[in-house]
Amino acid sequence: MSACASPSPGAPTLALTLVGSGEPLLRMEKRLHCAAAGAGLRLELEIRKDAEALGIPYAQTPAVLLNGQVMLRGLRRTEEIETWLHTTFTHEN
């Protein structure tokens, strides 16, 4: 398994919730951390394994939530997640 870069100490922090279980959850967690580092973000990740209680069908997990809203469903490629982070969370004011 390849390693990914670490974000810089002063990088902005993004809080997301990852919902799912098993190997897909673990794989998505690693991909999220790598994509966030590639996008210049620190990731604060809450892990939830109670998808049904959150109204998310198991078949649509892993799911990434931002402020309670589902942003990504299913196991995504790291590059796709990084692109989403870049387009959604630009650092320019």
Side-chain angles (χ1 to χ4, degrees):
M1 190 178 297
S2 64
C4 57
S6 296
S8 66
T13 301
L14 174 63
L16 297 173
T17 302
L18 177 58
V19 182
S21 62
E23 185 179 341
L25 173 79
L26 297 173
R27 292 174 73 188
M28 188 65 165
E29 181 179 9
K30 174 147 178 75
R31 292 175 188 187
L32 281 168
H33 281 288
C34 288
L41 298 166
R42 287 189 166 284
L43 192 60
E44 184 178 295
L45 199 58
E46 176 187 2
I47 305 290
R48 299 279 305 261
K49 296 185 178 183
D50 55 344
E52 299 287 330
L54 295 171
I56 302 168
Y58 178 78
Q60 295 180 6
T61 63
V64 177
L65 283 64
L66 174 65
N67 298 325
Q69 297 290 327
V70 177
M71 305 304 288
L72 300 172
R73 296 177 196 268
L75 190 59
R76 304 291 185 98
R77 294 179 56 232
T78 303
E79 296 81 7
E80 184 180 352
I81 299 166
E82 188 173 337
T83 298
W84 170 70
L85 291 170
H86 273 297
T87 58
T88 307
F89 306 99
T90 59
H91 307 300
E92 300 171 351
N93 291 324

